[in-house]
Each structure stands twice: as C-alpha cells, then as structure tokens.
Amino acid sequence: MIPGVRLVLLGKQGSGKGTQAVRLARHFVVHHVSTGDMFRAAVRAGTEFGRKAREYMDSGELVPDEVTIGIVKERLEQAGTKRRGFVLDGFPRNVAQAQALSDYLAPQDIHLVIDLEVATEVVLKRLAARRVCSSCGTNYSVDVPPAVNWTCDVCDGEVVQRADDTETAIRRRLEIYQKNTAPLVAWYKDRDHLDVVCGEGPPDEVTSRLIDTIDRRREAGV
Ligand code: AP5
Ligand code: MG
C-alpha cells in the first residue's frame, strides 16, 4: 500500500485547500481534517459550541486558539492518525497553532507543508461562485453545479452559498490571512518544511502538481 503522509495545506481563502485535501486524503489513504468543516458540523448540530463558533465564522474572525487547538487534538486522537497520517486543511492558521501541533506530534513531525498559491483576484471570483452541500460539505460552484436542481450529487443534501461567503466576511478573512497566516509560511520555511505549489488551472492539474511535490519530497528522504 502507498505510504501515508502527515501534510498541512496552507493557502488563502478559496485557494482550493478543501477541494484538494479531499483528493489527497483519498490518494494517500489518510484522514482529511478540516477545522472549517468541523465548526460547520457543530453549527448544523446546534450545540452551544456551534452557536459560539458561528458568531466568529459568519463575521470572518478566527475561532479562539484554545478551542481550535483542543478540537484538532481530539480529532487527531479519534481518527487514529498517528499510524498513517492526515491532511490538515485550515489548521494551523497562526504560529501559536503551529507550535501546538508540533508539540502534540512530537516525537513525530509533519512531513510537509504546502502553500497553495493563487492570486487574490482569482480567489475572489471562486468564492463568489462557490456553493456547498449544507449536509456533507461537498464543493460546487455556479459554473459546476450538481447534476439535479442544487441537490448534492453525493448525499442529496441542499446545496447553498456559505454564510461567510459575503463580501464583508471575505474581505475580513483575507485580512486575517495576511496578518496571521502569511507569517506561518516563513515559520515553516525556516524549519525546512515548506513547498509552494501553484493552485491555479484545472483541479486535476493542481492535484497532479501536489502529488508530484509530495512524492519528490519523499524521494529526497523526508
Ligand atoms: P474554512 O472553512 O477553512 O474556510 P477558509 O479558510 O475561508 O477557506 P475556504 O474553505 O474558503 O477555501 P478553500 O481553500 O478550502 O477553497 P475551496 O476548496 O472551497 O474556515 C472557515 C472559518 O472557520 C474561518 O473563517 C474561521 O472563522 C474558522 N476557522 C477554521 N479554521 C480555523 C483555525 N485553524 N483557527 C481559527 N478559526 C478557524 O475552493 C473554493 C471554490 O473554488 C470552490 O467553489 C471550488 O469548487 C473552487 N475551486 C477549487 N479549486 C479550483 C480550481 N483549481 N479551479 C477553479 N475552481 C476551483
Ligand atoms: Mg475550505
């Protein structure tokens, strides 16, 4: 069987982290761990935690670190990710989260962090067009809708626009990305964990680029 991987995907909002994480998790037979998906599931479940998370998410702010770090550790424990690994999508988003992840994984470490690079004008177009299944989170867009009447091809759920895909929230999310997440790129570069991959072009091409990058790192003995 193909060896597993411990991978972090970075990239601004709409760069395709979710789209590609699903494909990479399938390819490397590891778990896809998305903080955004976990928070949206809590919102749908109507828990107290979900109600609090929703206030941050709808306005484009980050959910506080202590809550986010706790939920990720819990998920990594449950999924049995220590054996084969994971694709982390949307976490870490700042240096404090990255440090907490590194402490949690020790004595293991992540294999690779990929910064999925996409121009801001491209992500703005993608986010305006994005539609998601309100039940399972599968991504669509107005250009590539589900086969039947905004009903999810995977689970028959209703396909809708995300509550944080408003102009104001998108602007705020991109600001936060520049302030908190962009410094992470430098932090991982200093630790020799980072590769930058172009996230533009058809999704299949982006997937091939990502897999080639991961395989090359592996051959180099990471
Ligand atoms: P999260 O759900 O992670 O949202 P995000 O960071 O804003 O990123 P997106 O999901 O918007 O973008 P993506 O890169 O996944 O792109 P996608 O694949 O969908 O987080 C939401 C919120 O939760 C945060 O704002 C925060 O409040 C909270 N949160 C989450 N993690 C947190 C953390 N660690 N700490 C604190 N708070 C946290 O693609 C976008 C669109 O483009 C789709 O329509 C897709 O179909 C399309 N597309 C993808 N690839 C291509 C391509 N190659 N060509 C054309 N279209 C494409
Ligand atoms: Mg996403």
Side-chain angles (χ1 to χ4, degrees), residues 98-157:
Q99 188 63 61
L101 176 65
S102 169
D103 293 347
Y104 171 76
L105 292 176
Q108 292 186 320
D109 205 349
I110 42 174
H111 290 122
L112 181 59
V113 177
I114 295 185
D115 181 20
L116 204 49
E117 205 172 45
V118 177
T120 300
E121 64 266 26
V122 175
V123 301
L124 289 173
K125 274 192 202 133
R126 285 185 188 176
L127 292 176
R130 173 166 63 188
R131 300 294 181 271
V132 294
C133 174
S134 55
S135 181
C136 73
T138 297
N139 266 332
Y140 299 92
S141 76
V142 289
D143 308 314
V144 189
V148 182
N149 198 26
W150 297 107
T151 300
C152 180
D153 294 337
V154 178
C155 75
D156 284 344

Side-chain angles (χ1 to χ4, degrees), residues 13-14 17-19 35 40 61 90 93 97 130 173 201:
Q13 290 66 24
K17 299 181 297 294
T19 305
T35 36
R40 281 184 288 278
E61 300 296 325
R93 263 179 216 241
Q97 293 182 5
R130 173 166 63 188
R173 281 152 64 203

Side-chain angles (χ1 to χ4, degrees), residues 11-20 34-37 39-40 53 56-58 60-65 68 72 89-94 97 116 126-127 129-132 139-141 162 164-165 173 199-204 206:
K12 54 173 88 90
Q13 290 66 24
S15 57
K17 299 181 297 294
T19 305
Q20 296 299 332
S34 158
T35 36
D37 287 353
F39 291 146
R40 281 184 288 278
Y56 293 99
M57 294 168 77
D58 284 359
E61 300 296 325
L62 292 186
V63 176
D65 281 349
T68 306
V72 171
D89 154 17
F91 182 94
R93 263 179 216 241
N94 57 32
Q97 293 182 5
L116 204 49
R126 285 185 188 176
L127 292 176
R130 173 166 63 188
R131 300 294 181 271
V132 294
N139 266 332
Y140 299 92
S141 76
R162 247 170 66 170
D164 60 349
D165 278 347
R173 281 152 64 203
E200 295 189 25
D204 286 351
V206 178

